[in-house]
Protein backbone atom coordinates (compact mmCIF):
# COMPACT_ATOMS: atom_id res chain seq x y z
CA UNK A 1 0.00 0.00 0.00
CA UNK A 2 1.31 3.43 -0.93
CA UNK A 3 0.23 6.31 1.29
CA UNK A 4 1.47 9.71 2.30
CA UNK A 5 -0.12 9.52 5.76
CA UNK A 6 1.86 7.87 8.55
CA UNK A 7 0.72 7.55 12.16
CA UNK A 8 2.70 6.61 15.22
CA UNK A 9 1.34 3.85 17.44
CA UNK A 10 0.42 6.50 20.03
CA UNK A 11 -1.39 8.59 17.39
CA UNK A 12 -3.45 5.54 16.40
CA UNK A 13 -4.26 4.73 20.02
CA UNK A 14 -5.47 8.26 20.73
CA UNK A 15 -7.47 8.42 17.50
CA UNK A 16 -9.20 5.16 18.45
CA UNK A 17 -10.03 6.48 21.92
CA UNK A 18 -11.37 9.77 20.53
CA UNK A 19 -13.50 7.96 17.96
CA UNK A 20 -14.99 5.77 20.69
CA UNK A 21 -15.87 8.75 22.89
CA UNK A 22 -13.25 8.02 25.55
CA UNK A 23 -10.99 10.98 24.90
CA UNK A 24 -12.27 14.54 24.98
CA UNK A 25 -15.24 16.22 26.61
CA UNK A 26 -18.31 13.94 26.64
CA UNK A 27 -21.48 15.20 24.99
CA UNK A 28 -23.68 15.00 28.04
CA UNK A 29 -26.61 16.76 26.38
CA UNK A 30 -26.78 14.02 23.75
CA UNK A 31 -26.53 11.44 26.56
CA UNK A 32 -26.73 7.70 26.00
CA UNK A 33 -28.57 8.20 22.71
CA UNK A 34 -25.64 10.25 21.46
CA UNK A 35 -23.24 7.49 22.52
CA UNK A 36 -25.29 4.96 20.58
CA UNK A 37 -25.26 7.08 17.43
CA UNK A 38 -21.52 7.67 17.74
CA UNK A 39 -20.69 4.00 18.18
CA UNK A 40 -23.30 2.74 15.73
CA UNK A 41 -23.84 -0.42 17.80
CA UNK A 42 -23.98 -1.34 21.49
CA UNK A 43 -23.76 -5.04 22.29
CA UNK A 44 -26.34 -6.78 24.44
CA UNK A 45 -25.54 -9.67 26.76
CA UNK A 46 -27.40 -11.64 29.41
CA UNK A 47 -24.66 -11.34 32.04
CA UNK A 48 -25.29 -8.68 34.67
CA UNK A 49 -22.69 -7.99 37.34
CA UNK A 50 -22.58 -4.30 38.25
CA UNK A 51 -25.07 -3.69 35.45
CA UNK A 52 -25.81 -5.13 32.04
CA UNK A 53 -23.25 -4.40 29.36
CA UNK A 54 -25.45 -2.03 27.35
CA UNK A 55 -25.67 0.16 30.48
CA UNK A 56 -21.93 -0.02 31.15
CA UNK A 57 -21.06 1.31 27.68
CA UNK A 58 -22.57 4.81 28.09
CA UNK A 59 -21.46 4.84 31.74
CA UNK A 60 -17.84 4.40 30.60
CA UNK A 61 -18.16 7.48 28.39
CA UNK A 62 -20.47 9.75 30.35
CA UNK A 63 -19.84 8.81 33.96
CA UNK A 64 -22.57 8.12 36.48
CA UNK A 65 -25.54 8.65 34.17
CA UNK A 66 -28.77 7.29 35.64
CA UNK A 67 -29.56 3.75 34.57
CA UNK A 68 -33.19 4.64 33.88
CA UNK A 69 -31.99 7.40 31.58
CA UNK A 70 -29.92 4.84 29.67
CA UNK A 71 -32.87 2.49 29.16
CA UNK A 72 -35.11 5.38 28.15
CA UNK A 73 -32.54 6.58 25.63
CA UNK A 74 -32.50 3.20 23.95
CA UNK A 75 -36.11 2.16 24.13
CA UNK A 76 -38.26 5.28 23.78
CA UNK A 77 -39.19 7.55 20.91
CA UNK A 78 -38.43 5.06 18.12
CA UNK A 79 -34.72 5.78 18.59
CA UNK A 80 -33.28 2.27 18.30
CA UNK A 81 -33.87 -1.33 17.33
CA UNK A 82 -32.22 -4.64 18.11
CA UNK A 83 -30.60 -6.70 15.38
CA UNK A 84 -27.54 -8.74 14.43
CA UNK A 85 -24.46 -6.54 14.01
CA UNK A 86 -21.23 -7.39 15.84
CA UNK A 87 -23.50 -9.67 17.88
CA UNK A 88 -27.00 -9.03 19.17
CA UNK A 89 -26.82 -5.23 19.39
CA UNK A 90 -28.86 -2.12 19.98
CA UNK A 91 -28.60 -0.04 16.80
CA UNK A 92 -29.68 3.53 16.00
CA UNK A 93 -32.97 3.41 14.11
CA UNK A 94 -31.29 5.36 11.29
CA UNK A 95 -29.29 2.21 10.52
CA UNK A 96 -32.38 0.13 9.66
CA UNK A 97 -31.87 0.54 5.88
CA UNK A 98 -28.18 -0.43 6.17
CA UNK A 99 -29.01 -3.98 7.26
CA UNK A 100 -31.19 -4.72 4.25
CA UNK A 101 -28.40 -6.94 2.87
CA UNK A 102 -28.52 -9.12 5.99
CA UNK A 103 -32.31 -9.28 6.03
CA UNK A 104 -32.32 -10.38 2.40
CA UNK A 105 -29.76 -13.07 3.15
CA UNK A 106 -31.78 -14.36 6.12
CA UNK A 107 -34.98 -14.38 4.05
CA UNK A 108 -33.30 -16.39 1.31
CA UNK A 109 -31.90 -18.87 3.82
CA UNK A 110 -35.25 -19.17 5.61
CA UNK A 111 -33.85 -20.14 9.03
CA UNK A 112 -31.05 -19.40 11.48
CA UNK A 113 -30.63 -22.45 13.74
CA UNK A 114 -34.08 -24.01 13.93
CA UNK A 115 -36.53 -25.29 11.34
CA UNK A 116 -40.28 -24.67 11.52
CA UNK A 117 -42.71 -27.57 11.25
CA UNK A 118 -45.30 -25.31 9.61
CA UNK A 119 -43.38 -22.28 8.27
CA UNK A 120 -46.23 -20.37 6.64
CA UNK A 121 -48.84 -21.13 9.27
CA UNK A 122 -46.62 -20.41 12.29
CA UNK A 123 -45.31 -17.13 10.90
CA UNK A 124 -48.80 -16.02 9.89
CA UNK A 125 -50.10 -16.77 13.40
CA UNK A 126 -47.40 -14.57 15.00
CA UNK A 127 -48.02 -11.71 12.58
CA UNK A 128 -51.75 -11.97 13.25
CA UNK A 129 -51.28 -11.77 17.02
CA UNK A 130 -48.97 -8.76 16.75
CA UNK A 131 -51.30 -6.99 14.37
CA UNK A 132 -54.25 -7.53 16.70
CA UNK A 133 -52.67 -7.20 20.15
CA UNK A 134 -49.70 -4.90 19.58
CA UNK A 135 -46.12 -5.46 20.85
CA UNK A 136 -45.68 -8.80 22.65
CA UNK A 137 -42.95 -10.90 24.26
CA UNK A 138 -42.44 -14.55 23.33
CA UNK A 139 -44.19 -15.43 26.62
CA UNK A 140 -47.18 -13.35 25.54
CA UNK A 141 -47.15 -15.18 22.22
CA UNK A 142 -47.37 -18.56 23.93
CA UNK A 143 -43.95 -19.35 25.38
CA UNK A 144 -40.37 -19.48 24.16
CA UNK A 145 -39.46 -23.06 25.07
CA UNK A 146 -40.90 -26.51 24.56
CA UNK A 147 -40.03 -27.32 28.15
CA UNK A 148 -36.44 -28.46 27.72
CA UNK A 149 -33.18 -26.47 27.76
CA UNK A 150 -33.05 -22.83 26.66
CA UNK A 151 -32.18 -23.69 23.06
CA UNK A 152 -35.17 -26.03 22.73
CA UNK A 153 -37.37 -23.33 21.25
CA UNK A 154 -41.09 -23.59 20.75
CA UNK A 155 -42.59 -23.32 17.26
CA UNK A 156 -43.79 -19.80 18.13
CA UNK A 157 -40.35 -18.67 19.29
CA UNK A 158 -38.75 -20.02 16.12
CA UNK A 159 -41.38 -18.28 14.02
CA UNK A 160 -41.00 -14.86 15.64
CA UNK A 161 -37.18 -15.04 15.49
CA UNK A 162 -37.36 -16.00 11.81
CA UNK A 163 -39.58 -12.99 11.21
CA UNK A 164 -37.09 -10.85 13.16
CA UNK A 165 -34.22 -12.05 10.98
CA UNK A 166 -36.20 -11.26 7.83
CA UNK A 167 -37.22 -7.79 8.99
CA UNK A 168 -40.96 -8.37 9.18
CA UNK A 169 -40.78 -8.11 12.98
CA UNK A 170 -38.59 -5.75 14.97
CA UNK A 171 -37.48 -5.49 18.60
CA UNK A 172 -37.62 -1.92 19.85
CA UNK A 173 -37.76 -2.64 23.60
CA UNK A 174 -36.96 -5.15 26.32
CA UNK A 175 -39.33 -5.96 29.18
CA UNK A 176 -37.78 -7.81 32.10
CA UNK A 177 -34.93 -8.65 29.72
CA UNK A 178 -37.41 -10.30 27.33
CA UNK A 179 -37.54 -9.06 23.78
CA UNK A 180 -40.68 -7.14 22.90
CA UNK A 181 -41.62 -7.87 19.29
CA UNK A 182 -43.62 -5.58 17.06
CA UNK A 183 -44.44 -5.37 13.37
CA UNK A 184 -41.61 -3.56 11.62
CA UNK A 185 -44.08 -1.71 9.41
CA UNK A 186 -45.57 -0.18 12.54
CA UNK A 187 -42.44 0.42 14.62
CA UNK A 188 -39.91 1.67 12.06
CA UNK A 189 -40.49 5.27 10.88
CA UNK A 190 -41.92 5.41 7.36
CA UNK A 191 -38.91 7.27 5.93
CA UNK A 192 -36.59 4.47 7.06
CA UNK A 193 -38.83 1.46 6.46
CA UNK A 194 -37.41 0.19 3.19
CA UNK A 195 -34.91 -2.26 1.78
CA UNK A 196 -34.07 -0.09 -1.22
CA UNK A 197 -30.30 -0.05 -0.73
CA UNK A 198 -28.30 -2.57 -2.74
CA UNK A 199 -26.05 -5.00 -0.91
CA UNK A 200 -23.03 -3.02 -2.12
CA UNK A 201 -24.42 0.27 -0.78
CA UNK A 202 -25.31 -1.31 2.56
CA UNK A 203 -21.78 -2.63 2.91
CA UNK A 204 -20.19 0.67 1.84
CA UNK A 205 -22.15 2.61 4.45
CA UNK A 206 -21.49 0.08 7.20
CA UNK A 207 -17.75 0.06 6.47
CA UNK A 208 -17.74 3.86 6.53
CA UNK A 209 -19.63 3.86 9.83
CA UNK A 210 -17.22 1.33 11.32
CA UNK A 211 -14.29 3.48 10.18
CA UNK A 212 -15.72 6.53 11.93
CA UNK A 213 -16.43 4.55 15.11
CA UNK A 214 -12.95 2.99 15.17
CA UNK A 215 -11.02 6.07 14.05
CA UNK A 216 -8.26 4.02 12.46
CA UNK A 217 -8.54 0.36 11.50
CA UNK A 218 -7.21 -2.52 9.47
CA UNK A 219 -9.45 -4.38 7.04
CA UNK A 220 -10.01 -7.07 9.67
CA UNK A 221 -10.96 -4.41 12.24
CA UNK A 222 -13.50 -2.90 9.84
CA UNK A 223 -14.96 -6.32 9.08
CA UNK A 224 -15.26 -7.32 12.72
CA UNK A 225 -17.26 -4.26 13.75
CA UNK A 226 -20.48 -5.38 12.05
CA UNK A 227 -19.36 -8.98 11.38
CA UNK A 228 -18.75 -8.52 7.68
CA UNK A 229 -16.45 -10.63 5.55
CA UNK A 230 -12.98 -9.42 4.64
CA UNK A 231 -13.74 -9.60 0.95
CA UNK A 232 -16.89 -7.54 1.47
CA UNK A 233 -14.83 -4.79 3.11
CA UNK A 234 -12.15 -4.98 0.41
CA UNK A 235 -14.79 -4.54 -2.31
CA UNK A 236 -16.17 -1.25 -0.94
CA UNK A 237 -13.57 0.44 1.29
CA UNK A 238 -12.11 2.28 -1.70
CA UNK A 239 -15.51 3.90 -2.31
CA UNK A 240 -15.69 5.36 1.20
CA UNK A 241 -14.06 8.56 2.42
CA UNK A 242 -11.69 6.61 4.65
CA UNK A 243 -8.03 7.54 4.09
CA UNK A 244 -5.30 4.96 3.59
CA UNK A 245 -2.64 5.27 6.29
CA UNK A 246 0.42 3.49 7.63
CA UNK A 247 0.53 2.86 11.38
CA UNK A 248 3.78 2.24 13.18
CA UNK A 249 4.11 -1.39 14.23
CA UNK A 250 0.84 -2.60 12.69
CA UNK A 251 2.42 -4.22 9.65
CA UNK A 252 -0.90 -4.19 7.80
CA UNK A 253 -2.73 -1.71 5.59
CA UNK A 254 -5.02 0.59 7.52
CA UNK A 255 -7.67 3.24 6.94
CA UNK A 256 -8.53 6.29 9.03
CA UNK A 257 -11.50 8.59 9.37
CA UNK A 258 -10.52 11.87 7.64
CA UNK A 259 -12.24 13.96 10.33
CA UNK A 260 -10.19 12.18 12.99
CA UNK A 261 -7.01 12.99 11.09
CA UNK A 262 -8.02 16.64 10.66
CA UNK A 263 -9.13 17.28 14.24
CA UNK A 264 -6.31 15.57 16.06
CA UNK A 265 -6.86 13.36 19.14
CA UNK A 266 -6.89 15.89 21.97
CA UNK A 267 -8.79 16.16 25.23
CA UNK A 268 -9.19 14.64 28.64
CA UNK A 269 -8.96 10.89 29.13
CA UNK A 270 -11.67 8.95 30.94
CA UNK A 271 -10.71 6.76 33.89
CA UNK A 272 -13.23 3.96 34.05
CA UNK A 273 -14.03 0.27 34.13
CA UNK A 274 -14.93 -1.12 30.71
CA UNK A 275 -17.47 -3.83 30.01
CA UNK A 276 -15.83 -6.90 28.45
CA UNK A 277 -18.34 -6.29 25.63
CA UNK A 278 -17.38 -2.64 25.06
CA UNK A 279 -16.76 -1.85 21.39
CA UNK A 280 -13.35 -0.35 22.25
CA UNK A 281 -12.16 -3.89 22.98
CA UNK A 282 -14.47 -6.06 20.84
CA UNK A 283 -11.68 -7.47 18.72
CA UNK A 284 -8.94 -9.31 20.62
CA UNK A 285 -6.13 -8.87 18.05
CA UNK A 286 -6.91 -5.14 17.78
CA UNK A 287 -6.91 -4.74 21.57
CA UNK A 288 -3.55 -6.48 21.83
CA UNK A 289 -2.15 -4.41 18.95
CA UNK A 290 -3.26 -1.04 20.34
CA UNK A 291 -3.21 -1.52 24.11
CA UNK A 292 -0.90 -4.46 24.80
CA UNK A 293 -3.61 -6.29 26.73
CA UNK A 294 -5.11 -9.70 25.95
CA UNK A 295 -8.81 -9.38 26.63
CA UNK A 296 -10.80 -12.56 27.14
CA UNK A 297 -14.14 -13.07 28.87
CA UNK A 298 -13.71 -15.91 31.37
CA UNK A 299 -17.38 -16.29 32.37
CA UNK A 300 -17.55 -19.51 30.34
CA UNK A 301 -14.16 -20.79 31.50
CA UNK A 302 -14.26 -23.34 34.37
CA UNK A 303 -13.59 -21.48 37.63
CA UNK A 304 -10.28 -23.24 38.45
CA UNK A 305 -8.92 -22.19 35.05
CA UNK A 306 -9.80 -18.49 35.32
CA UNK A 307 -6.90 -16.07 35.54
CA UNK A 308 -8.55 -12.67 35.84
CA UNK A 309 -12.08 -13.59 36.98
CA UNK A 310 -15.64 -14.27 35.84
CA UNK A 311 -16.41 -10.78 34.45
CA UNK A 312 -13.00 -9.11 34.38
CA UNK A 313 -13.42 -5.47 33.36
CA UNK A 314 -10.38 -3.74 31.85
CA UNK A 315 -9.38 -0.51 33.59
CA UNK A 316 -8.92 2.44 31.24
CA UNK A 317 -6.80 5.32 32.53
CA UNK A 318 -4.66 7.91 30.78
CA UNK A 319 -5.64 6.40 27.45
CA UNK A 320 -4.17 3.01 28.34
CA UNK A 321 -5.52 -0.26 29.67
CA UNK A 322 -3.75 -0.52 33.01
CA UNK A 323 -5.30 -3.63 34.55
CA UNK A 324 -8.44 -5.65 35.13
CA UNK A 325 -11.05 -5.84 37.88
CA UNK A 326 -13.48 -8.70 38.42
CA UNK A 327 -16.27 -6.96 40.36
CA UNK A 328 -19.17 -8.15 42.45
CA UNK A 329 -21.76 -6.67 44.75
CA UNK A 330 -22.57 -7.63 48.33
CA UNK A 331 -25.25 -5.38 49.77
CA UNK A 332 -23.91 -1.84 49.85
CA UNK A 333 -20.34 -2.97 49.11
CA UNK A 334 -18.68 -3.20 45.72
CA UNK A 335 -16.30 -6.15 45.89
CA UNK A 336 -13.18 -6.29 43.74
CA UNK A 337 -12.84 -10.08 43.81
CA UNK A 338 -9.75 -10.23 41.62
CA UNK A 339 -7.62 -7.28 40.54
CA UNK A 340 -4.75 -7.62 38.09
CA UNK A 341 -2.62 -4.49 37.82
CA UNK A 342 -0.57 -3.77 34.72
CA UNK A 343 -0.94 -4.79 31.08
CA UNK A 344 0.34 -7.99 29.44
CA UNK A 345 2.86 -6.01 27.42
CA UNK A 346 4.79 -2.96 28.65
CA UNK A 347 2.74 0.15 27.88
CA UNK A 348 4.32 2.79 30.08
CA UNK A 349 2.19 2.00 33.14
CA UNK A 350 3.74 -0.23 35.80
CA UNK A 351 1.50 -2.17 38.22
CA UNK A 352 2.37 0.34 40.97
CA UNK A 353 1.33 3.28 38.77
CA UNK A 354 -2.00 1.54 38.10
CA UNK A 355 -3.02 1.59 41.78
CA UNK A 356 -4.43 5.14 41.98
CA UNK A 357 -6.42 5.08 38.70
CA UNK A 358 -7.81 1.64 39.51
CA UNK A 359 -8.92 2.90 42.92
CA UNK A 360 -10.58 5.91 41.27
CA UNK A 361 -12.40 3.67 38.79
CA UNK A 362 -13.63 1.43 41.61
CA UNK A 363 -14.89 4.39 43.63
CA UNK A 364 -16.80 5.89 40.70
CA UNK A 365 -18.35 2.53 39.82
CA UNK A 366 -19.39 2.03 43.45
CA UNK A 367 -21.09 5.42 43.49
CA UNK A 368 -22.90 4.68 40.22
CA UNK A 369 -24.44 1.42 41.47
CA UNK A 370 -25.28 2.86 44.90
CA UNK A 371 -22.56 1.07 46.87
CA UNK A 372 -21.14 2.93 49.86
CA UNK A 373 -17.86 1.06 50.22
CA UNK A 374 -15.30 -0.95 48.25
CA UNK A 375 -13.66 -4.17 49.43
CA UNK A 376 -10.57 -5.43 47.65
CA UNK A 377 -9.93 -9.18 47.81
CA UNK A 378 -7.21 -10.76 45.63
CA UNK A 379 -4.62 -8.55 43.92
CA UNK A 380 -1.83 -9.38 41.50
CA UNK A 381 0.91 -8.57 42.27
CA UNK A 382 -0.03 -9.34 45.90
CA UNK A 383 2.26 -6.71 47.42
CA UNK A 384 -0.05 -4.03 45.97
CA UNK A 385 -3.14 -5.27 47.85
CA UNK A 386 -2.74 -2.91 50.80
CA UNK A 387 -1.91 0.18 48.70
CA UNK A 388 -4.92 -0.48 46.44
CA UNK A 389 -7.31 -1.13 49.33
CA UNK A 390 -6.23 2.08 51.06
CA UNK A 391 -6.43 4.10 47.83
CA UNK A 392 -9.92 2.77 47.11
CA UNK A 393 -11.08 3.61 50.66
CA UNK A 394 -9.70 7.12 50.27
CA UNK A 395 -11.33 7.59 46.84
CA UNK A 396 -14.72 6.47 48.17
CA UNK A 397 -14.44 8.86 51.12
CA UNK A 398 -13.55 11.73 48.78
CA UNK A 399 -16.83 11.09 47.00
Amino acid sequence: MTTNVSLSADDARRIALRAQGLLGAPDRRAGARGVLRRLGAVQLDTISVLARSHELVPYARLGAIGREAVESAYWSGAAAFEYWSHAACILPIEEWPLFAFRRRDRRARGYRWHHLQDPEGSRAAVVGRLRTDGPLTSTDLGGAKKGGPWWDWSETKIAVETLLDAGEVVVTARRGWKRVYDLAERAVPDALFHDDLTDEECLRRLVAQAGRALGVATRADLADYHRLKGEQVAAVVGDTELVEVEVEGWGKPAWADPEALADGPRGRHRTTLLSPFDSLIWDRPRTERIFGLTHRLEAYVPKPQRIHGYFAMPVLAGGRLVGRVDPGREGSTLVARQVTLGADRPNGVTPAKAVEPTAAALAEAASWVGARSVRVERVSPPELHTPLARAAEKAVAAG
Side-chain angles (χ1 to χ4, degrees), residues 11-26 38-39 61 212-216 257 259-269 280 286 291 316 319:
D11 287 337
R13 176 178 54 79
R14 287 193 290 267
I15 287 172
L17 288 164
R18 180 71 179 269
Q20 283 280 302
L22 291 159
L23 171 63
R38 180 173 194 148
L39 300 181
R61 288 149 179 83
R212 289 191 298 272
L214 292 168
V216 59
D257 173 23
E259 291 188 12
L261 293 176
D263 290 345
R266 299 180 299 275
R268 183 179 178 181
H269 290 286
L280 180 72
R286 176 179 170 87
F291 296 106
L316 178 69

Side-chain angles (χ1 to χ4, degrees), residues 167-188:
E168 294 180 58
V169 161
V170 66
V171 172
T172 57
R174 289 253 179 169
R175 188 187 303 152
W177 194 240
K178 294 179 180 178
R179 286 174 169 164
V180 180
Y181 304 94
D182 198 1
L183 296 177
E185 64 190 48
R186 184 164 58 202
V188 179

Side-chain angles (χ1 to χ4, degrees), residues 50 59 271-274 313-316 324-328 333-341 354-379 385 387-397:
L50 296 182
Y59 160 74
T271 296
T272 188
L273 300 180
L274 294 173
M313 301 178 68
V315 181
L316 178 69
R324 305 169 179 85
V325 171
D326 181 34
T333 300
L334 188 154
V335 183
R337 303 193 189 286
Q338 169 72 46
V339 180
T340 307
L341 299 171
V355 167
E356 292 295 333
T358 301
L362 286 168
E364 186 189 70
S367 174
W368 181 52
V369 299
R372 295 192 295 272
S373 62
V374 171
R375 186 175 79 245
V376 177
E377 294 187 341
R378 297 179 301 278
V379 176
H385 178 278
L388 178 60
R390 287 176 176 169
E393 182 179 359
K394 183 178 178 181
V396 169

